[in-house]
Amino acid sequence: MREPIDRASLEAFMSELGRTSRSHAQIYFTGGATAVLHGWRESTIDIDLHVENESDDVLRRIAALKDEICVNVELAAPHHFLPPLPHWKSRSESIGRFGSIDFFHYDYDSQALAKIERGHDRDLVDAGEMARRGLIEPVRLLRWLSEIEDQFHRYPAVDLPSLRRRVEAFVESAT
């Protein structure tokens, strides 16, 4: 069984991946990694990430590091579950560059919408923390949802009316 991932584990992961990768890539953290790095959670069970400019070198290093530093890593991002928000990359906050790898927090609005869609207690707490810390403006989530609603046919597992109700309830509770 793997140990919980704390800030030190995440920083070790970023440092080692950047130091040992020969290829350049952008890595976007989402979920628990964002919560840990921002400090509203002390640990998470896995590192959810999305790799842009992925190469076999970077993916092989991620797989090796998973075992070397004993962490769980999943290739998971909001756009795997919901239509991507326009220009999400430009709104993704930089964490820093480690060697040849640039690390970012995946766009907070995208993360919040995906968390609300999942609806787990921890996800809703995370979305609430994003609002409380000013990382998202809850009312903007409704505008984003309207902007991407014509793309939900590509995500048949998502019930759009139900998601809209959950986002409206979140906005009401967060404002």
Side-chain angles (χ1 to χ4, degrees):
M1 183 163 155
R2 310 256 182 194
E3 293 295 316
I5 300 159
D6 60 11
R7 184 179 191 90
S9 301
L10 279 167
E11 289 172 351
F13 176 83
M14 290 186 288
S15 179
E16 274 302 295
L17 184 59
R19 186 182 70 75
T20 58
S21 293
R22 295 183 311 271
S23 302
H24 177 72
Q26 296 85 37
I27 293 185
Y28 296 84
F29 285 142
T30 188
T34 289
V36 169
L37 290 173
H38 273 285
W40 70 80
R41 273 204 239 159
E42 288 193 24
S43 66
T44 186
I45 59 171
D46 55 24
I47 301 171
D48 292 334
L49 57 83
H50 169 68
V51 182
E52 286 281 311
N53 296 344
E54 67 182 46
S55 68
D56 277 348
D57 169 57
V58 171
L59 293 174
R60 287 179 196 280
R61 284 305 303 143
I62 289 170
L65 278 175
K66 179 180 130 175
D67 293 327
E68 289 171 23
I69 61 176
C70 229
V71 296
N72 289 323
V73 178
E74 292 195 30
L75 300 178
H79 67 263
H80 294 151
F81 308 103
L82 300 169
L85 298 184
H87 313 293
W88 67 266
K89 288 180 197 173
S90 65
R91 290 188 314 281
S92 295
E93 180 184 2
S94 175
I95 296 168
R97 183 173 208 158
F98 292 76
S100 62
I101 310 291
D102 292 305
F103 289 89
F104 299 87
H105 291 288
Y106 199 106
D107 168 52
Y108 299 121
D109 291 330
S110 298
Q111 287 194 54
L113 279 174
K115 286 178 172 295
I116 294 166
E117 195 283 321
R118 281 177 39 136
H120 299 302
D121 289 343
R122 179 170 270 182
D123 289 324
L124 297 175
V125 167
D126 285 346
E129 278 296 319
M130 289 179 183
R132 192 177 74 73
R133 293 167 182 259
L135 300 174
I136 63 168
E137 293 177 31
V139 72
R140 191 170 54 205
L141 298 178
L142 286 169
R143 289 194 298 267
W144 282 126
L145 191 57
S146 293
E147 194 161 329
I148 61 172
E149 69 185 349
D150 65 338
Q151 298 171 46
F152 273 91
H153 64 281
R154 297 177 184 270
Y155 298 82
V158 177
D159 179 57
L160 183 57
S162 176
L163 175 58
R164 181 171 294 285
R165 285 190 300 275
R166 289 194 308 273
V167 172
E168 287 169 349
F170 174 79
V171 169
E172 180 72 24
S173 71
T175 52

